[in-house]
Amino acid sequence: MEKLNKQKIPTNDNLLIVVESINHINAIVKAILSMDSSLENIDSPSNGESLTIESAIANLNGTDLGLRFYAAWWLGRFRVNEPQAVSSLIKALADEDDRTPEGGYPLRRNAARALGKLSDITAVAPLITCLQSSDFYVREAAAESLGMLGDSTAISPLTQLLEHGLENGVLVATQPDTKEPYDAILEALGALKAVDTIPLIQPFLQHPIERNQYSAARAMYQLTGEVEYGDRLIKALAGNDLQLRRSALADLGAIGYIAAADAIAQTLAENSLKLISLKGLLEKQVSPLTPTLSSDAIKVMNLMDLLL
Amino acid sequence: MTNSLTTQKLIDAVEQADSSAKLLEAVQNLATAASVETVPILIAALGYNNPGAAVAAVDGLIQIGEPAVLPLLQLIDDFNYGARAWAIRALAGIGDPRGLETLLEAAENDFALSVRRGAARGLGIVKWHQMIPEQLSDAQQKAFEVLIKASKDPEWVVRYAASVGLEGLAESLTERQSQLAAQIFAQLEHLQINDVELSVRSRVHLALEKLRSQTPVEILRKLQDNNTSESEKVSRGAGRR
C-alpha cells in the first residue's frame, strides 16, 4: 500500500468544490492551465467570511486588499446585479493599489471576471479598455466577460487583439504564441456571433497550443453550426491529457453539442465537470416553453443521473 | 484456490502499477473480478485521485455489494472529501439500509457538493425491503425530510440529485403510504414551477412523468385531492431545523 501513495497526483480538486457553471469551469480550467495563483481564492466560499451585499460593496471600496479581492469575486459569484456593485467593480478595473511582484493586477482581474456575470452593459466600455491592459490575465478576464455580456461593440476590439496572433491572415510562425489569451478571445467571438471573423478564427484550428485549437473549434461551431467542429471536441475527450479533456468538456457544454452526450459521460474526468457539461447539452434541448421532453433531453438526463 | 490466486495477481498488479494508466487498468481488472478479498484494495483506490480508477472501484464495490458495506462505513470518516464522495457513491449504489444513516448525514450536512449530491441520489435507491418493517416508515419519512432540504440546496446539482432521490423514494412507497406519496408529488410540483435552473425543472418534469405513468389512476386522483390539504404539512416538514 505504501508504494501506491506515490501514485497520488497533486490535487487540484479543491478548486472543484463550487464549480457551478460553464463559465466557472472555464475559469478553473484556465487557473489550472496557467497556474494563476490569484484564482486560488475561488476554491470555497466557506474559506472566506460570509458577506452581505452591503458589506461586500463596502469591502470592495475599502482599503484591505484581501477583502477587496474577495469581495469582487463574491459579487460575481452571487450575481449581485445592483448598480452600486457594478459601479464599484468598474472603478476597481482601474485599481493601482493591488499589484503582484510581476506587475499584475489581481483586483482588476477579479473585477473583470465578476462584471461578466452581472449582465450590465455599462461594463462593456470599461472592459474594452481592459483589453489593452499590460496584465495578460486582465485581458483574458475582460475578453471572457465581454463574450458573456453579449454586446456586439466588443467584436472589433476583440478582433484586433486576435490579430496579434496573425500575419497576413496566417498564424505567426513563432514558437507557441502565448502573447494574448487567444482561447478567451476566440470563445468570446463565438459567443458574440461574430460571423465576419470566421476567416480570422479558422487559422487558430492549427494553433500549436491545443487549448487554443479547441476554442477555435468551439467558436467555429457556434458560428457555422457545422458538425466537424463539434466532432473535433469529441475527439479531444479521448486525449491523454486530463486538463485538455476538462477543457473540452467545458467547450462542449458551452455549445450544447448533443452528439457528444455519450462521449462526455464516458471520458475520464471528474463527474462534477461532466455533469456541468451535460447540463449545457440538456439546456439546449429543453426550452422553457416546450411542454414535452424530447428523447434527446431524456437521454441526457439518464446519463446525468448515473454521474450523481 | 485458483480463484484467490488470480485475485492475488490482480492485487499485485495494482500495487506494482507505476503510471496512472497502468493503475487504472489494474483497478479495472480487479473490479471486474468483484471478489470479496479485493474490498480493501478497491476502497483504497477511491483515494488515489485517479477518477478512472475510482469509477472502476465504485463499480466493483457495488458488484460485491453487502460484504463491502461495513468496511466502507468504517473508513468513510477518515477519507478526504474526494474519496468520501466516491465511497458515498458506492454505498448509494449498494443500497444496503445499514448505510442509510451515513447517507442521511452526508446529504444533509456534508460541505462538499459532490458528497451531498451522491447521497441525495442514494436516498432514492435504498433497498427498503431489507429493513425491519417497524423501522421502515420512520426511515422513509426521515429520507423524505432530508431530500426536501436537499431540494433547496444552493447548488443546482444537489437539487437535481434531490429530485432524482424523491422520484426513487416515491417509487418505493406502498399504497398504504399515500400521504407521503402526496407530499412528494406536492414538492416535485412545486420545484417544477419554482426552481431557478431549467435543468432542475426538466429533471423534475421527467420524475413527475415517470411517477404518473406508474401510478394507477385512482391513486393519482386521491393524491390530487390530498395535495391541497397536505401542502401545509410539506412546508412544515421542510422548515425543520
Side-chain angles (χ1 to χ4, degrees):
Chain A
M1 276 301 87
E2 275 303 312
K3 262 192 223 160
L4 278 167
N5 287 334
K6 73 171 186 244
Q7 299 291 340
K8 290 185 184 174
I9 302 154
T11 177
N12 282 314
D13 276 9
N14 59 337
L15 285 167
L16 296 175
I17 302 174
V18 294
V19 184
E20 103 280 18
S21 71
I22 291 291
N23 294 316
H24 203 163
I25 330 190
N26 274 336
I28 286 165
V29 167
K30 282 175 193 147
I32 293 166
L33 295 178
S34 62
M35 291 300 154
D36 172 7
S37 61
S38 71
L39 267 177
E40 274 165 18
N41 278 19
I42 254 175
D43 64 353
S44 163
S46 58
N47 286 349
E49 58 173 318
S50 55
L51 293 177
T52 61
I53 292 173
E54 292 71 29
S55 66
I57 294 172
N59 284 354
L60 183 57
N61 292 313
T63 52
D64 183 314
L65 295 182
L67 292 181
R68 297 180 78 193
F69 182 84
Y70 183 73
W73 173 82
W74 192 93
L75 291 167
R77 166 70 175 82
F78 296 101
R79 293 188 164 64
V80 181
N81 186 14
E82 296 199 1
Q84 246 201 309
V86 173
S87 63
S88 301
L89 287 166
I90 290 175
K91 208 174 80 195
L93 292 178
D95 171 73
E96 288 291 350
D97 297 331
D98 194 359
R99 303 296 299 267
T100 66
E102 298 80 26
Y105 292 95
L107 179 62
R108 293 189 191 189
R109 297 172 189 172
N110 264 10
R113 286 176 193 124
L115 285 165
K117 297 178 180 152
L118 304 188
S119 19
D120 187 325
I121 57 157
T122 55
V124 170
L127 285 169
I128 288 174
T129 308
C130 288
L131 293 176
Q132 306 301 322
S133 172
S134 58
D135 180 351
F136 176 94
Y137 298 108
V138 171
R139 299 199 297 281
E140 176 182 65
E144 201 173 298
S145 289
L146 286 166
M148 291 159 77
L149 291 174
D151 189 292
S152 59
T153 57
I155 291 176
S156 156
L158 284 165
T159 308
Q160 285 168 29
L161 210 56
L162 188 67
E163 284 176 330
H164 291 175
L166 296 172
E167 233 172 66
N168 304 319
V170 293
L171 291 173
V172 287
T174 52
Q175 287 303 303
D177 168 12
T178 53
K179 271 201 308 281
E180 299 295 347
Y182 297 115
D183 51 351
I185 301 164
L186 291 161
E187 287 167 21
L189 289 170
L192 293 171
K193 310 213 180 339
V195 284
D196 294 345
T197 65
I198 287 176
L200 301 173
I201 291 174
Q202 201 139 26
F204 285 86
L205 291 164
Q206 267 78 48
H207 197 274
I209 299 170
E210 272 177 284
R211 170 77 212 131
N212 291 335
Q213 296 174 18
Y214 298 169
S215 299
R218 164 176 167 167
M220 288 299 288
Y221 180 81
Q222 286 174 313
L223 299 175
T224 67
E226 284 171 22
V227 295
E228 63 174 294
Y229 303 114
D231 291 346
R232 231 180 127 137
L233 293 169
I234 293 183
K235 237 183 242 159
L237 290 178
N240 282 328
D241 182 329
L242 173 62
Q243 286 163 4
L244 289 174
R245 294 197 298 273
R246 285 171 173 156
S247 92
L249 283 174
D251 292 330
L252 286 163
I255 64 176
Y257 190 56
I258 190 69
D262 289 311
I264 290 170
Q266 282 156 22
T267 190
L268 298 174
E270 297 80 354
N271 284 8
S272 303
L273 298 186
K274 295 187 197 182
L275 282 162
I276 295 166
S277 186
L278 288 169
K279 177 176 187 264
L281 269 53
L282 175 59
E283 290 184 350
K284 200 103 197 198
Q285 291 300 312
V286 287
S287 122
L289 300 171
T290 42
T292 51
L293 297 167
S294 69
S295 60
D296 278 338
I298 292 171
K299 179 191 166 150
V300 173
M301 288 190 271
N302 287 335
L303 292 170
M304 289 173 76
D305 286 3
L306 295 173
L307 295 166
L308 291 171
Chain B
M1 189 62 200
T2 27
N3 198 4
S4 70
L5 268 178
T6 329
T7 307
Q8 191 53 50
K9 266 193 188 153
L10 293 170
I11 292 173
D12 292 346
V14 174
E15 296 194 330
Q16 283 152 18
D18 56 6
S19 71
S20 77
K22 276 188 193 156
L23 179 70
L24 169 60
E25 198 190 329
V27 174
Q28 276 170 337
N29 290 337
L30 192 64
T32 312
S35 144
V36 175
E37 302 144 69
T38 67
V39 166
I41 321 282
L42 291 176
I43 289 180
L46 304 177
Y48 294 159
N49 200 23
N50 179 325
V55 168
V58 167
D59 288 347
L61 289 163
I62 292 174
Q63 276 262 299
I64 294 165
E66 192 271 328
V69 174
L70 284 181
L72 277 167
L73 288 173
Q74 280 156 9
L75 283 165
I76 217 155
D77 290 337
D78 304 333
F79 276 141
N80 65 51
Y81 77 83
R84 207 164 65 237
W86 292 115
I88 292 282
R89 285 168 55 72
L91 276 180
I94 297 169
D96 190 300
R98 284 173 296 171
L100 182 61
E101 280 307 313
T102 303
L103 292 182
L104 288 166
E105 168 67 21
E108 190 169 4
N109 295 322
D110 204 281
F111 77 94
L113 69 87
S114 53
V115 177
R116 296 202 300 282
R117 73 161 194 251
R121 167 177 175 260
L123 290 175
I125 47 178
V126 174
K127 291 173 179 151
W128 301 104
H129 59 273
Q130 293 179 356
M131 200 160 226
I132 308 165
E134 298 82 69
Q135 294 177 354
L136 181 64
S137 143
D138 277 356
Q140 286 180 324
Q141 180 64 32
K142 184 76 184 97
F144 169 71
E145 285 168 16
V146 169
L147 284 169
I148 291 281
K149 206 178 158 196
S151 72
K152 297 173 182 170
D153 196 278
E155 302 293 344
W156 73 271
V157 76
V158 179
R159 302 198 303 280
Y160 184 103
S163 56
V164 175
L166 285 168
E167 175 191 313
L169 181 62
E171 280 173 339
S172 76
L173 299 177
T174 63
E175 275 178 45
R176 290 171 49 212
Q177 294 167 288
S178 68
Q179 192 183 326
L180 187 53
Q183 288 176 305
I184 293 175
F185 268 88
Q187 178 64 14
L188 289 172
E189 280 162 0
H190 173 80
L191 291 171
Q192 189 183 11
I193 297 166
N194 294 308
D195 199 278
V196 293
E197 286 285 343
L198 181 55
S199 44
V200 175
R201 295 199 301 275
S202 302
R203 186 61 187 84
V204 172
H205 183 163
L206 180 62
L208 283 167
E209 262 184 12
K210 286 206 239 171
L211 290 172
R212 286 191 184 117
S213 72
Q214 289 159 6
T215 315
V217 181
E218 57 280 15
I219 295 180
L220 270 181
R221 200 170 298 129
K222 210 172 121 197
L223 293 180
Q224 214 86 53
D225 298 342
N226 278 353
N227 265 359
T228 17
S229 54
E230 294 293 342
S231 52
E232 198 193 297
K233 225 171 207 154
V234 171
S235 58
R236 234 187 16 237
R240 258 173 228 171
R241 288 188 197 217

